[in-house]
Amino acid sequence: MVTEIFPGVDAKYSGYLDVPSTSEVDDPGTTHLWHLLDNEEELIARGIHPVGTLVCVHGNPTWSYLWRSLLSHVSDNALPWRVIAVDQLDMGFSARTGKFRRLADRVNDLGDLIEGLGLNGKVTTVGHDWGGIISLGWAVAHQEQLANAILTNTAVHPAGFELPAALRLASNPAVHGWGTKSTDAFLRVTHSLAQPALEADVRKAFMAPYTSADKRTGVANFVADIPFSEDHPSRPALEEISDAIRSLSVPALMLWGPKDPVFSDRYLRDLMDRLPHAQVHRFEGASHLLPEDRDIASPIFNWLDAERDSKNSSRATALSDYRPMLAELDSRTDDHSIAVVDINPPRSLSWSELGERVNALAAGLAQIGVTAGSRVNLLVPPGIELTSLIYACLRLGAVIVVADAGLGTKGLGRAIKGAGPSFLIGIDRALVGARFFGWPGTRIAVENLPAAKRKLLGVAHTVPELLESGNSAAHDAPTFDEADPDADAAVLFTSGSTGPAKGVVYTHRQLAAMRDTLRETYNLKAGSALVAGFAPFALLGPALGATSVTPDMDVTAPRTLTAAALADAALAVDATTVFASPAALANVLETEDALDGPQRKILENVSLMLSAGAPIPEPLLARVQSLVPNARVHTPYGMTEALPVTDIDLAGIRAAGSGNGVCVGTAVAGAQVAIAPLGSDGQAGNEPLEEPNLTGEILVRAPHVKDRYDRLWITEQVSTSIPGWHRTGDVGHLDDQGRLWVEGRLGHVLHTATGSKTPVAAEQAAESVAGAGRAAVVGVGPAGTQAAVVVMETVPPARRAAPAPVAFAHAVRTAVERTGLEISAVLVVPDLPTDIRHNSKIDRAALAGWAATTLAGGRIGKP
């Protein structure tokens, strides 16, 4: 027995089993002593009959210790699962066989062990690294016994993928023996991949079975057995398993650390192609040793116990029968009126021209391999080019991936890699980023490029080439199959203002429902003309049958929209409707003095002004109303996952008056809103209630709620944990008239000694003080004893971050304390940190950390 005490695993789980070998590499009658971590005896002692068995297979150079969290999770929670973590032969504390065991042998060895254990019932395999393909090898050969397949950072190394650099080095004959056997270098390098770094006692535990060269023979042989060349002895076994896993129909779960320098996201994408029904969760920031980097036990057992319904249950009944997104465009093939306009440089397309361009692009894309389900990343500013590409992709049933530069370079790259597009279409700047950062996808340039630049950027095609080839194909009258309404249509990314941006998947039916909701709520009929100063709405113009134009602005920086640019865009299409973000409208108002007579006159013709992206205070809306005096001024509330959810106009805001939070109105057409009340611990409950004056998490159900979060199974399960509802993560309440008031984010609730407090009412009170700008109220200290701190801008702006002047701080404290929240400190800053996309969502998490450092006596820097 292994008697040494290793951190995190009870020695009682350790045991040995002598197992006869049927491997061809061994002599007849050979047996091998296997070391296992197994909780069977504990379950028997507790009188628990397991509902299933997990067989967990480690890779190189770890051992069964890697799976200790699964054993402890079962023990701590009395879960009825048997967990068996094996040490492969020549690895861990299992026997050193003296034989070179290849992939086929190791698959066979696993089968010998499972038979030796007498596991006749259903088995769930769990694999990591090379243990992944070994577990899959057993799985495909024993499908009648297989219950589920779980994988973490592994690969089947399909042909065409290069061996990762670290493994190429370890496989080099000049390095192999020294790096993998004579020294413990390979182990130390592998352990260094952990994010965060392993504790010293955990590193020691991982090293324990490999303390001498003779104990590291299996480590060396594992590396030597990597079948990276076509004539490698293990290549046939690898290819057989790689092909055979496509036949697996059991539920599958893939948990992944995307920072893995060995098995990168391309291996995940390959596995997803082979197991398209698998649930996936990518843990941003995690690396190769995922079971060390993150809690994988909770999601694994939650997944095993969950109903595996692949469709989001938070969708309500559609407003009407499904009508494809291209239906309006297809009905206007002979319409020569203007459909879409570019301001800079000036350009326009009629409905018939737009339809021809969309069909030509679709044909050209099809010729280079874009098919239904292909993911196409569009890194193109709003306008004619982006509109044409979006609808060409929808025509083919391809999935558009929209991750804009508003996420910032780091966030954009993370989003693109997470979505894993097969094709990437971009402007020059985007192509440079793709080349420099290694973003996935066949690269397609929006414009023709000089040969040298094209080669440098790795561009395979250009949009003009696609148009030319597509127009040529048009003579053959190409036909396109209509997309499946419930197939994926788009992956849209959240702003990243509350953590890494999340990919949100919409089906064709859900995109159409979003269009229908906007049409029904705001009477946006065909023939309308809209100015899309808010990027998410740029793609909806043709679907609504509305002529659309994007103002001359940087859509990734809403504050760049000027009043003149807005008016010029409205003039270009004789606009009746304007979409813009609060930050954009704020700058429009700041620059309205530059408007001339004709520009002011065209704005008087606007009949509907919509501002989405963040709540808008009544004084700002009132000023907007004066700019568009004949318009209905509305501010819908929603999120990337469901846009819009509720709506209110200026008159409604005035009628609601002041209250705890921001009044965002009543549910839009087809939507329903409820509240999951906060408990005494500040956590939201699981019962949707529509009673007034209950503060809790805001829930929504609607036909246009997202299908799921992309490759974020854990996040998706949390968001749909109340059947039939999407959990928004926002906190608020319904009033006696059924209006929704938003009180902040669930993660921003302050957990003070006197209970849980939402921040928005306190922030509004702080902003009411003379000389105040925007304010954020954050909690500093441990949950349950947090102190409330106000961090705010001033008018005029403070020159540097500092404690607020005494008189000003007193006024803020007095105003805020009327809301029932005691303030510990007031800090002023020149600018509050906001999200890049909207320039309006305050990063309260960053402010809380900054405030804690500042109040602890640290250097007062910029938050």
Side-chain angles (χ1 to χ4, degrees), residues 265 282 284 375-379 399-408 410-421 440 489-506 511 514 534-537 539 638-643 706 708-712 835-838 841:
D265 270 344
R282 296 172 70 257
E284 286 293 349
R375 290 194 169 193
V376 183
N377 185 201
L378 301 176
L379 297 174
V399 183
I400 58 173
V401 177
V402 183
D404 61 68
L407 297 176
K410 184 177 180 180
L412 178 61
R414 185 163 49 206
I416 295 171
K417 290 180 178 179
V491 181
L492 311 178
F493 279 85
T494 61
S495 66
S497 60
T498 55
K502 299 182 289 290
V504 178
V505 178
Y506 278 88
L511 279 184
M514 183 190 297
F534 183 51
F537 288 108
L539 66 87
M639 63 264 341
T640 308
E641 297 88 340
L643 186 65
K706 52 88 175 155
R708 65 189 185 280
Y709 287 114
D710 188 43
R711 302 173 186 180
L712 292 169
D835 66 295
I836 299 174
R837 179 184 290 173
H838 300 295
K841 293 184 178 180

Side-chain angles (χ1 to χ4, degrees), residues 713-733:
W713 181 83
I714 300 170
T715 309
E716 174 61 17
Q717 291 304 109
V718 171
S719 78
T720 56
S721 61
I722 301 177
W725 297 89
H726 168 67
R727 307 188 80 129
T728 66
D730 288 337
V731 179
H733 70 276

Side-chain angles (χ1 to χ4, degrees), residues 257-270:
K259 289 185 69 175
D260 190 342
V262 182
F263 298 131
S264 61
D265 270 344
R266 63 181 179 179
Y267 297 101
L268 171 62
R269 294 193 294 272
D270 175 74

Side-chain angles (χ1 to χ4, degrees), residues 344-390:
N344 187 19
R347 182 187 178 199
S348 66
L349 290 180
S350 68
W351 287 99
S352 61
E353 290 170 331
L354 178 60
E356 290 173 359
R357 184 178 178 86
V358 165
N359 289 341
L361 275 173
L365 288 166
Q367 289 174 356
I368 65 169
V370 179
T371 62
S374 296
R375 290 194 169 193
V376 183
N377 185 201
L378 301 176
L379 297 174
V380 182
I384 287 175
E385 208 66 74
L386 179 60
T387 300
S388 302
L389 288 165
I390 285 172

